[in-house]
Amino acid sequence: WFAGRTQVERVKTASCLTSPLPKLSPLGTPGTARMDDERFDGMYMQLASQMGGLDPLLDSFFGFLRRKTDFFTNAATPEAAQESVLKAFQKNKDRSLEDAREKAAKEKKRKADEEKRRARLKAEKEAKQQRAEESRVEEAPAPAPPPAKAEEEGEASGEASSAPSADSAAAESEEGEGKGLVPVKNGAILDNYSWTQTLQDLQVIVAIPKGTRTKFLDVQILKQWLKVQVKGSDAVIEGELHKPIKMEDSTWSVEDNPVDDNRLLTISLSKANQMEWWNCVIAGDPEINTQKVEPENSKLSDLDGETRQTVEKMMYDQRQKAAGLPTADEQSKQDMLKKFMEQHPEMDFSKAKIS
């Protein structure tokens, strides 16, 4: 349609080049928003794509000015057309530099805020660890007083001869009591999560920020792997599980926690072996003392006869070990040896040992 216009109707640019420009807004167009500056972007992108780049697009545009307008031939001065082009170029170059400075300032602020957030989380974690360590120190039993010195040489000699057996008994008692944290509901309260357990399953509870929706959570439950992460943050839990689980019977859910003004992510894991206690959830995390686990006796009636017998035997062995006494298997071996000794009085069993 442009090619059919008369010379009088063709675009006249000389008057535009000599007349004063209207006052521009900060965005570069009179009284318009930035969206007006971008309204032809789609058309320009399409043209640049069809022509194969920016250089052919610029060449085509100036060819249009040469062929269809008097931009070059009817300017006020020979340099007016060039000055107009350079003016538009300089204006957009300045704006580009300003945009780059704004972007750099925003990125700098974002990094500073992220560093502050990480420093705050690190300080909170260290404070929790220190409180937990102080709590463990307070709960540690006082060391046993050293044995009183014998007043007579005969007593000293007697004590010396019995010392090895006393040390051995103390070592066995310590071993029988086991090592690790004192269980809290058969689990533990750690810095980043807490957990409880029964023989059949265990629950892992993670506190997450208030308002966190499930679509922002990355929860991966595999046979022997667990990962919990709020998208955009570091993983709260990620690692190999202490023992295998049944993936098909394991679930997770989220609920509000008005007490602490946050939300709680609860993960229910079904144990593959439902006849043993776990001493931790993730391999390498702090372990509990499973010999101090307290199973719920009220639920023994729900078990079948064979399972109930096994559980009761485990409970009996734990109590025996805690008291420094032989377990059911060890007692059975001792009874067998005693019976054999009674049947064969002619044999010397003074040096016999039960392993």
Side-chain angles (χ1 to χ4, degrees):
W1 63 273
F2 203 96
R5 299 178 64 182
T6 64
Q7 181 66 25
V8 176
E9 294 173 327
R10 292 172 63 187
V11 179
K12 299 295 182 177
T13 60
S15 59
C16 296
L17 294 174
T18 56
S19 61
L21 293 173
K23 187 176 182 180
L24 299 181
S25 68
L27 296 179
T29 55
T32 60
R34 183 175 292 271
M35 61 177 293
D36 294 330
D37 195 38
E38 301 172 352
R39 57 182 173 170
F40 300 118
D41 286 357
M43 180 183 68
Y44 291 144
M45 291 296 294
Q46 185 177 5
L47 289 174
S49 176
Q50 292 177 354
M51 294 181 179
L54 294 179
D55 290 342
L57 176 62
L58 291 174
D59 185 61
S60 176
F61 178 72
F62 283 106
F64 162 77
L65 295 178
R66 172 179 53 80
R67 289 180 285 104
K68 301 298 182 180
T69 74
D70 54 3
F71 178 78
F72 295 104
T73 60
N74 200 25
T77 63
E79 295 81 12
Q82 183 176 355
E83 290 176 357
S84 178
V85 172
L86 291 176
K87 193 172 185 178
F89 170 82
Q90 189 62 44
K91 179 188 73 174
N92 285 277
K93 180 181 178 181
D94 294 341
R95 183 180 297 178
S96 175
L97 295 176
E98 181 181 354
D99 292 343
R101 285 193 296 270
E102 290 179 359
K103 183 178 180 181
K106 290 180 180 179
E107 180 65 15
K108 183 178 180 180
K109 183 178 182 300
R110 185 193 69 80
K111 289 184 177 180
D113 292 342
E114 180 66 16
E115 287 295 330
K116 290 180 181 179
R117 186 186 71 85
R118 291 184 178 180
R120 177 175 56 80
L121 292 177
K122 182 179 179 182
E124 292 177 355
K125 183 176 181 180
E126 290 177 350
K128 286 183 179 179
Q129 289 177 344
Q130 184 176 359
R131 287 195 297 268
E133 185 65 26
E134 291 174 353
S135 176
R136 285 195 289 267
V137 171
E138 291 176 358
E139 293 176 358
K149 294 183 179 180
E151 296 180 358
E152 298 180 1
E153 293 183 358
E155 294 179 358
S157 176
E159 290 179 0
S161 62
S162 62
S165 59
D167 293 342
S168 177
E172 291 177 358
S173 176
E174 181 180 352
E175 182 179 356
E177 293 179 359
K179 297 180 180 180
L181 302 175
V182 177
V184 178
K185 294 184 179 181
N186 295 340
I189 302 176
L190 305 180
D191 294 335
N192 49 344
Y193 67 93
S194 60
W195 64 282
T196 61
Q197 68 173 322
T198 64
L199 271 176
Q200 291 76 30
D201 52 36
L202 56 83
Q203 283 193 336
V204 180
I205 302 175
V206 181
I208 58 178
K210 180 180 180 181
T212 302
R213 303 176 64 181
T214 54
K215 67 179 182 179
F216 296 118
L217 295 176
D218 181 11
V219 181
Q220 300 179 21
I221 304 176
L222 304 180
K223 183 177 181 181
Q224 202 163 350
W225 184 269
L226 178 63
K227 178 182 179 181
V228 177
Q229 181 178 15
V230 179
K231 294 181 180 179
S233 305
D234 296 335
V236 181
I237 301 175
E238 184 174 15
E240 182 180 359
L241 290 169
H242 176 59
K243 298 285 185 180
I245 63 168
K246 298 179 181 178
M247 294 173 53
E248 64 277 7
D249 296 333
S250 301
T251 60
W252 63 275
S253 61
V254 179
E255 60 183 355
D256 293 329
N257 179 26
V259 176
D260 296 327
D261 196 29
N262 58 12
R263 306 197 80 191
L264 294 180
L265 166 65
T266 302
I267 305 171
S268 298
L269 303 178
S270 178
K271 298 178 181 178
N273 183 354
Q274 300 189 343
M275 295 304 301
E276 64 179 351
W277 299 105
W278 288 24
N279 57 13
C280 64
V281 178
I282 302 297
D285 280 359
E287 299 180 356
I288 65 169
N289 185 352
T290 55
Q291 296 185 15
K292 294 185 178 181
V293 165
E294 298 179 357
E296 299 180 12
N297 295 328
S298 59
K299 292 187 178 181
L300 290 177
S301 59
D302 298 337
L303 305 176
D304 59 80
E306 183 179 357
T307 303
R308 177 173 179 174
Q309 184 178 2
T310 304
V311 173
E312 289 176 341
K313 179 179 179 296
M314 291 171 57
M315 295 168 58
Y316 173 80
D317 288 345
Q318 288 179 0
R319 289 193 297 269
Q320 290 293 98
K321 287 183 177 181
L325 300 175
T327 63
D329 293 337
E330 294 170 348
Q331 185 65 48
S332 177
K333 290 179 181 180
Q334 292 180 2
D335 293 342
M336 290 175 60
L337 179 59
K338 184 177 180 180
K339 184 177 180 180
F340 187 79
M341 290 171 61
E342 292 176 351
Q343 293 176 352
H344 301 276
E346 73 280 1
M347 299 180 65
D348 182 13
F349 293 93
S350 60
K351 296 183 180 181
K353 293 183 179 180
I354 302 176
S355 59

